[in-house]
Amino acid sequence: LDFMMPSPRGPRFAADLDIETSSLGIVVASYTLSAGVTGLLGAFFLDRYDRRPALALSLLGLAVGTGGAAFAWDLPTLVLARVVAGAFGGPATALALAIVADVVTVSRRGRALGAVMMAFSVASVLGVPMGLVLADWGSWHTQLLVTAVLCALAAAGASLHLPSLRAHVALRAQGAQTPPLHPWREVTDSIRTLVAEPAVRLSYGMGLASAFGAFMLIPNIATFVQNNFGYPASLLSLLYGAGGLASLIVLRPLGRLVDRVGSFPVSLFGAVGYAGVCALCFIFLPPWIEDLCRTRHALLGVSFSWGWFVVALLFVLFMLTSNARNVAFGTLNSRVPPPALRARYQSLSSMVQHVGLAAGGLTGPLLLRSEPDGSLVGIDRIAWLSIAVLLAIPWLLRGVARRIDARDGVRRGATAPQRGGA
């Protein structure tokens, strides 16, 4: 919810803080770039501690950064607050994924990650629409303050209700050298061991490309549908709610499908579907959708446009295809590291992905131009680039799966599909 917050209310931020709509990607990129840096730093210490207090502290820092953003008065102060939030959000994500991989067996990990990723859909179904309603009732400051309170409650919940999670520390101790290495040397050696594996390097490259390709578009969608299509700002909560509800329904089945048929077919389906939706929404149909959205009809005294339903359908398909790619990637990614280095691997993976998100968020403003009415020009170029990058992801994923199979001695076709991922 904290991560998604700026995008739907982008035009409101822009108006109140005197920010050009084409520069809104910078606000999102500041969070992701900061999360990437702390993801790298987290690799040096996260595997040395109990997961429970580490997660609680990360969530508490996220609450402080998000609350601070509510008091921003211009672009630099808003970016600074989002940097603080990202600094704690990056390790929180890495720790959450490491916890799932710690406690769930490989054969059930696809459905488990699908269940955890439902949180993103819940944020869309309930959180984003409620945040938009709060912003309408009060201001954009209100939704940030409420989100900060929720982050603090999540920190308290992690501290009070999670069990102690130290099995990874015991595994590291069993493999420790005698005499022990200096902590810095021990971490750098383990990272060097990690990245020496071809599967790890390819997985990091896949995460970077996936994040970059998707995030060129995502921060600009709300602004584009409002200012280019004429989609009403008052209906944004319904738009995100519909997309999130559809994702909530299909994420668990997608996780089971990955466990059954493997990561590659699900990822390929998601990439091809994503390409089709992006081509329709941002390249081939914008003038037609704009005309349809601005043509109003009356039904039982209520004014509406058929274009609103078209936009909602395309948005739902965008989220569904993106989730298919993400579940496939997350399931395979959980198999890459050895258990004792899982948080370290996930922390570096989080860093790489956040760097990709930041690069994508910063690429958008370079290729976009804002018109005086706030509409965006050049989103078709971003869509073409995004499609080209994301269509390569399934083939990178298959390469990772084959290398993991070879490392683990898994014969393709002789084991459960989720073991091979292809």
Side-chain angles (χ1 to χ4, degrees), residues 238-320:
L238 295 178
L239 183 68
Y240 278 83
L245 180 60
S247 299
L248 192 65
I249 293 171
V250 304
L251 270 174
R252 288 297 289 274
L254 278 174
R256 288 194 292 268
L257 186 63
V258 170
D259 288 336
R260 177 175 298 179
V261 305
S263 295
F264 174 70
V266 177
S267 176
L268 183 61
F269 165 78
V272 172
Y274 175 92
V277 173
C278 285
L280 288 175
C281 192
F282 303 112
I283 299 173
F284 297 118
L285 297 184
W288 177 76
I289 297 176
E290 180 181 357
D291 293 340
L292 198 60
C293 284
R294 298 188 188 281
T295 301
R296 302 297 178 89
H297 305 274
L299 179 65
L300 301 177
V302 178
S303 176
F304 75 98
S305 169
W306 291 112
W308 301 347
F309 296 96
V310 174
V311 171
L313 175 62
L314 290 171
F315 187 77
V316 166
L317 293 175
F318 181 89
M319 292 195 68
L320 292 180

Side-chain angles (χ1 to χ4, degrees), residues 12-85:
R12 181 73 65 86
F13 282 113
D16 288 358
L17 300 179
D18 195 25
I19 302 171
E20 290 189 2
T21 54
S22 61
S23 299
L24 288 172
I26 297 174
V27 177
V28 182
S30 62
Y31 178 101
T32 56
L33 190 59
S34 174
V37 171
T38 55
L40 174 62
L41 296 177
F44 288 88
F45 60 85
L46 286 180
D47 276 318
R48 307 179 68 87
Y49 301 103
D50 190 322
R51 308 256 199 248
R52 178 177 63 185
L55 181 61
L57 179 62
S58 297
L59 290 169
L60 185 60
L62 186 62
V64 172
T66 303
F71 300 97
W73 60 87
D74 56 12
L75 180 60
T77 53
L78 180 61
V79 166
L80 177 61
R82 296 305 291 165
V83 165
V84 173

